[in-house]
Amino acid sequence: MKLAISQSNYIPWRGYFDLIASVDRFVLYDTVQFTKNDWRNRNLIKTQAGPQWLSIPVGANIHRTIQDVELPQTPWRSKHWKSLVAAYAKAPFFAEVAAWLEPIYTQNADTRLSEFNARLIHAVCKYLGITTDIVFDDGSHRQQDRVLKLIEMCQRHGADTYVSAPAGRNYISAETFEAHGVHLEWFDYPAYPSYAQLHGPFVGQVSVLDALFHCGAHPEVFLHPQVALV
Protein backbone atom coordinates (compact mmCIF):
# COMPACT_ATOMS: atom_id res chain seq x y z
CA MET A 1 0.00 0.00 0.00
CA LYS A 2 1.22 3.48 -0.87
CA LEU A 3 0.90 6.23 1.73
CA ALA A 4 1.41 10.00 1.61
CA ILE A 5 1.31 12.38 4.58
CA SER A 6 0.67 16.13 4.62
CA GLN A 7 -0.90 18.86 6.68
CA SER A 8 -4.38 19.89 5.63
CA ASN A 9 -4.42 23.02 3.47
CA TYR A 10 -7.19 25.47 2.70
CA ILE A 11 -8.47 25.00 -0.89
CA PRO A 12 -5.04 23.65 -1.99
CA TRP A 13 -3.49 23.92 -5.44
CA ARG A 14 -4.01 21.16 -8.00
CA GLY A 15 -0.70 19.43 -7.25
CA TYR A 16 -1.99 18.59 -3.76
CA PHE A 17 -4.76 16.51 -5.34
CA ASP A 18 -2.36 14.93 -7.81
CA LEU A 19 -0.37 13.64 -4.82
CA ILE A 20 -3.54 12.34 -3.16
CA ALA A 21 -4.55 10.50 -6.33
CA SER A 22 -1.14 8.79 -6.56
CA VAL A 23 -1.51 6.87 -3.28
CA ASP A 24 -3.87 4.43 -1.61
CA ARG A 25 -4.17 6.37 1.65
CA PHE A 26 -3.50 10.01 2.46
CA VAL A 27 -2.94 11.07 6.07
CA LEU A 28 -3.82 14.59 7.16
CA TYR A 29 -1.00 15.27 9.61
CA ASP A 30 -2.68 17.99 11.66
CA THR A 31 -1.23 16.98 15.02
CA VAL A 32 1.80 19.18 14.31
CA GLN A 33 2.29 22.85 15.12
CA PHE A 34 0.23 25.44 13.31
CA THR A 35 2.33 27.80 11.19
CA LYS A 36 1.18 31.35 10.50
CA ASN A 37 1.15 32.90 7.02
CA ASP A 38 1.06 29.43 5.51
CA TRP A 39 -1.23 27.29 3.33
CA ARG A 40 -3.13 25.87 6.32
CA ASN A 41 -5.59 28.78 6.39
CA ARG A 42 -5.10 30.72 3.17
CA ASN A 43 -4.72 30.36 -0.57
CA LEU A 44 -4.79 32.39 -3.77
CA ILE A 45 -7.56 32.89 -6.28
CA LYS A 46 -7.36 34.85 -9.53
CA THR A 47 -9.51 37.98 -9.74
CA GLN A 48 -9.93 40.82 -12.19
CA ALA A 49 -7.34 42.70 -10.14
CA GLY A 50 -4.91 39.78 -10.18
CA PRO A 51 -4.13 37.05 -7.61
CA GLN A 52 -5.87 37.64 -4.28
CA TRP A 53 -5.45 35.92 -0.94
CA LEU A 54 -8.42 34.27 0.74
CA SER A 55 -7.36 33.97 4.38
CA ILE A 56 -9.35 32.42 7.21
CA PRO A 57 -8.75 34.78 10.18
CA VAL A 58 -7.60 32.27 12.81
CA GLY A 59 -4.90 34.42 14.41
CA ALA A 60 -1.12 34.06 14.46
CA ASN A 61 -0.72 31.93 17.61
CA ILE A 62 1.78 29.15 16.82
CA HIS A 63 1.47 27.57 20.27
CA ARG A 64 -1.22 25.13 19.13
CA THR A 65 -1.53 22.24 16.76
CA ILE A 66 -3.37 22.58 13.47
CA GLN A 67 -6.15 20.34 14.74
CA ASP A 68 -6.69 22.69 17.71
CA VAL A 69 -7.15 25.83 15.60
CA GLU A 70 -10.71 27.05 16.06
CA LEU A 71 -12.65 28.84 13.35
CA PRO A 72 -13.71 32.39 14.23
CA GLN A 73 -17.33 33.36 14.70
CA THR A 74 -17.12 36.09 12.08
CA PRO A 75 -18.67 36.35 8.59
CA TRP A 76 -15.49 35.16 6.84
CA ARG A 77 -17.32 32.22 5.19
CA SER A 78 -19.83 34.44 3.40
CA LYS A 79 -17.07 36.89 2.48
CA HIS A 80 -14.97 34.12 0.94
CA TRP A 81 -17.93 32.80 -1.01
CA LYS A 82 -18.77 36.27 -2.29
CA SER A 83 -15.15 36.66 -3.41
CA LEU A 84 -15.34 33.36 -5.29
CA VAL A 85 -18.59 34.41 -6.95
CA ALA A 86 -17.13 37.77 -7.97
CA ALA A 87 -14.03 36.12 -9.43
CA TYR A 88 -15.57 33.10 -11.15
CA ALA A 89 -19.30 33.57 -11.79
CA LYS A 90 -18.62 33.85 -15.54
CA ALA A 91 -16.41 30.74 -15.67
CA PRO A 92 -17.79 27.82 -17.75
CA PHE A 93 -18.28 25.37 -14.86
CA PHE A 94 -19.19 27.82 -12.13
CA ALA A 95 -22.78 26.62 -11.68
CA GLU A 96 -21.76 22.95 -11.67
CA VAL A 97 -19.09 23.44 -9.01
CA ALA A 98 -21.10 25.96 -6.98
CA ALA A 99 -23.88 23.38 -6.56
CA TRP A 100 -21.72 21.39 -4.13
CA LEU A 101 -19.24 24.04 -3.03
CA GLU A 102 -21.56 26.82 -1.87
CA PRO A 103 -23.23 24.72 0.89
CA ILE A 104 -19.81 23.98 2.37
CA TYR A 105 -19.37 27.71 2.90
CA THR A 106 -22.92 28.61 3.84
CA GLN A 107 -24.51 25.61 5.55
CA ASN A 108 -21.97 23.53 7.51
CA ALA A 109 -21.15 24.03 11.18
CA ASP A 110 -17.49 23.01 11.37
CA THR A 111 -15.79 24.64 14.35
CA ARG A 112 -12.14 23.79 13.61
CA LEU A 113 -9.83 24.59 10.72
CA SER A 114 -8.87 20.92 10.21
CA GLU A 115 -12.51 19.88 9.87
CA PHE A 116 -13.26 22.61 7.34
CA ASN A 117 -10.12 21.93 5.28
CA ALA A 118 -10.86 18.20 5.25
CA ARG A 119 -14.45 18.78 4.16
CA LEU A 120 -13.26 20.81 1.17
CA ILE A 121 -10.54 18.29 0.31
CA HIS A 122 -13.00 15.39 0.41
CA ALA A 123 -15.49 17.33 -1.74
CA VAL A 124 -12.91 18.15 -4.42
CA CYS A 125 -11.71 14.53 -4.51
CA LYS A 126 -15.28 13.30 -4.91
CA TYR A 127 -15.87 15.72 -7.79
CA LEU A 128 -12.65 14.63 -9.53
CA GLY A 129 -13.29 10.93 -8.96
CA ILE A 130 -10.31 10.46 -6.64
CA THR A 131 -11.07 7.49 -4.38
CA THR A 132 -8.01 7.59 -2.12
CA ASP A 133 -8.75 6.88 1.54
CA ILE A 134 -8.19 10.12 3.48
CA VAL A 135 -7.75 9.94 7.26
CA PHE A 136 -6.53 12.13 10.11
CA ASP A 137 -3.39 11.28 12.07
CA ASP A 138 -4.36 10.34 15.62
CA GLY A 139 -1.20 11.75 17.23
CA SER A 140 -0.20 8.53 18.99
CA HIS A 141 3.53 8.60 18.23
CA ARG A 142 6.26 6.83 20.14
CA GLN A 143 9.00 8.39 18.03
CA GLN A 144 10.14 11.99 18.41
CA ASP A 145 12.42 12.24 15.38
CA ARG A 146 10.46 13.69 12.46
CA VAL A 147 11.59 11.05 9.95
CA LEU A 148 11.08 8.12 12.33
CA LYS A 149 7.58 9.48 12.99
CA LEU A 150 6.78 9.20 9.29
CA ILE A 151 8.10 5.64 9.22
CA GLU A 152 6.08 4.79 12.33
CA MET A 153 2.95 6.16 10.65
CA CYS A 154 3.63 4.07 7.54
CA GLN A 155 3.99 0.97 9.68
CA ARG A 156 0.84 1.72 11.66
CA HIS A 157 -1.17 2.06 8.45
CA GLY A 158 0.35 -1.06 6.92
CA ALA A 159 2.04 0.85 4.11
CA ASP A 160 5.03 -0.69 2.35
CA THR A 161 5.71 2.48 0.31
CA TYR A 162 5.89 6.11 1.40
CA VAL A 163 5.40 8.74 -1.31
CA SER A 164 7.06 12.02 -0.37
CA ALA A 165 6.54 15.44 -1.89
CA PRO A 166 9.71 17.09 -3.27
CA ALA A 167 10.28 19.20 -0.11
CA GLY A 168 11.04 16.00 1.77
CA ARG A 169 14.38 15.74 -0.04
CA ASN A 170 15.69 18.33 2.43
CA TYR A 171 15.51 15.94 5.38
CA ILE A 172 14.48 12.42 4.29
CA SER A 173 16.86 9.67 3.19
CA ALA A 174 15.80 6.52 1.36
CA GLU A 175 18.30 4.51 3.40
CA THR A 176 16.50 5.31 6.67
CA PHE A 177 13.16 4.20 5.25
CA GLU A 178 14.57 1.07 3.64
CA ALA A 179 16.28 0.11 6.93
CA HIS A 180 12.80 0.00 8.51
CA GLY A 181 11.23 -1.99 5.69
CA VAL A 182 9.47 0.92 3.95
CA HIS A 183 10.23 1.82 0.34
CA LEU A 184 10.55 5.53 -0.41
CA GLU A 185 9.25 7.10 -3.61
CA TRP A 186 9.58 10.73 -4.62
CA PHE A 187 6.63 12.57 -6.09
CA ASP A 188 7.61 15.28 -8.55
CA TYR A 189 4.98 17.77 -9.64
CA PRO A 190 4.86 17.96 -13.44
CA ALA A 191 4.45 21.08 -15.52
CA TYR A 192 0.66 21.09 -15.32
CA PRO A 193 -1.02 22.34 -18.49
CA SER A 194 -2.45 25.81 -18.75
CA TYR A 195 -6.11 26.29 -19.55
CA ALA A 196 -8.45 29.07 -20.68
CA GLN A 197 -8.80 31.40 -17.73
CA LEU A 198 -10.71 34.58 -16.95
CA HIS A 199 -8.99 37.88 -16.12
CA GLY A 200 -6.01 38.08 -18.43
CA PRO A 201 -2.84 35.99 -18.84
CA PHE A 202 -2.71 32.54 -17.29
CA VAL A 203 -1.70 32.25 -13.62
CA GLY A 204 -1.02 28.71 -12.41
CA GLN A 205 -0.11 29.04 -8.75
CA VAL A 206 -3.64 29.43 -7.43
CA SER A 207 -6.20 27.30 -5.61
CA VAL A 208 -7.55 24.18 -7.29
CA LEU A 209 -10.92 25.98 -7.35
CA ASP A 210 -9.66 28.10 -10.24
CA ALA A 211 -9.18 25.02 -12.42
CA LEU A 212 -12.47 23.50 -11.27
CA PHE A 213 -14.48 26.59 -12.20
CA HIS A 214 -12.78 26.86 -15.59
CA CYS A 215 -12.40 23.20 -16.57
CA GLY A 216 -14.80 21.09 -14.53
CA ALA A 217 -13.79 17.54 -13.63
CA HIS A 218 -11.21 16.92 -16.34
CA PRO A 219 -8.40 14.85 -14.74
CA GLU A 220 -5.86 15.63 -17.46
CA VAL A 221 -5.71 19.18 -16.13
CA PHE A 222 -5.05 18.04 -12.56
CA LEU A 223 -3.24 14.72 -12.56
CA HIS A 224 -0.21 12.86 -13.86
CA PRO A 225 -1.26 11.01 -17.04
CA GLN A 226 -0.41 7.63 -15.45
CA VAL A 227 -2.93 8.10 -12.63
CA ALA A 228 -6.07 6.10 -13.37
CA LEU A 229 -9.36 7.10 -11.75
CA VAL A 230 -12.32 4.81 -11.21
Side-chain angles (χ1 to χ4, degrees):
M1 183 181 79
K2 290 188 176 184
L3 185 80
I5 301 169
S6 178
Q7 290 77 45
S8 72
N9 289 351
Y10 176 50
I11 49 174
W13 76 303
R14 51 182 162 163
Y16 189 96
F17 294 92
D18 195 4
L19 176 59
I20 293 176
S22 74
V23 297
D24 302 296
R25 180 170 295 168
F26 188 79
V27 179
L28 296 172
Y29 191 16
D30 284 4
T31 55
V32 295
Q33 180 178 303
F34 173 73
T35 48
K36 63 180 181 179
N37 299 327
D38 213 335
W39 303 110
R40 312 303 156 243
N41 66 306
R42 68 175 190 166
N43 222 304
L44 286 164
I45 62 171
K46 187 185 178 192
T47 73
Q48 191 169 11
Q52 171 187 310
W53 287 104
L54 288 187
S55 300
I56 302 175
V58 295
N61 178 16
I62 61 172
H63 301 294
R64 51 185 171 167
T65 62
I66 301 168
Q67 69 177 6
D68 291 329
V69 176
E70 296 184 353
L71 294 173
Q73 299 302 309
T74 62
W76 66 269
R77 298 176 201 243
S78 61
K79 288 181 178 179
H80 282 205
W81 180 247
K82 288 176 181 177
S83 293
L84 290 170
V85 172
Y88 297 113
K90 295 181 180 179
F93 291 88
F94 178 80
E96 180 176 300
V97 174
W100 55 263
L101 183 61
E102 182 179 10
I104 296 177
Y105 279 93
T106 62
Q107 297 178 20
N108 88 79
D110 294 325
T111 61
R112 294 183 184 274
L113 178 64
S114 286
E115 297 170 348
F116 188 68
N117 285 349
R119 187 179 300 278
L120 285 164
I121 290 166
H122 277 283
V124 172
C125 285
K126 181 178 180 180
Y127 181 65
L128 291 176
I130 298 172
T131 59
T132 300
D133 184 29
I134 302 174
V135 299
F136 278 110
D137 173 52
D138 64 8
S140 59
H141 306 294
R142 295 185 302 273
Q143 301 289 345
Q144 296 302 314
D145 178 83
R146 65 190 299 191
V147 175
L148 294 181
K149 270 187 184 178
L150 297 178
I151 294 172
E152 180 185 10
M153 292 165 70
C154 288
Q155 294 170 335
R156 185 184 311 127
H157 287 277
D160 55 17
T161 302
Y162 176 62
V163 180
S164 175
R169 293 182 186 275
N170 296 326
Y171 65 94
I172 292 176
S173 71
E175 292 77 10
T176 304
F177 272 79
E178 299 290 350
H180 289 83
V182 180
H183 177 62
L184 176 66
E185 289 186 2
W186 295 107
F187 186 88
D188 291 315
Y189 300 113
Y192 296 107
S194 59
Y195 49 85
Q197 203 179 49
L198 297 173
H199 314 309
F202 180 76
V203 175
Q205 297 303 313
V206 288
S207 164
V208 68
L209 297 183
D210 186 275
L212 296 182
F213 285 131
H214 288 105
C215 304
H218 291 283
E220 66 273 13
V221 175
F222 301 88
L223 309 175
H224 278 69
Q226 70 268 24
V227 174
L229 302 181
V230 296

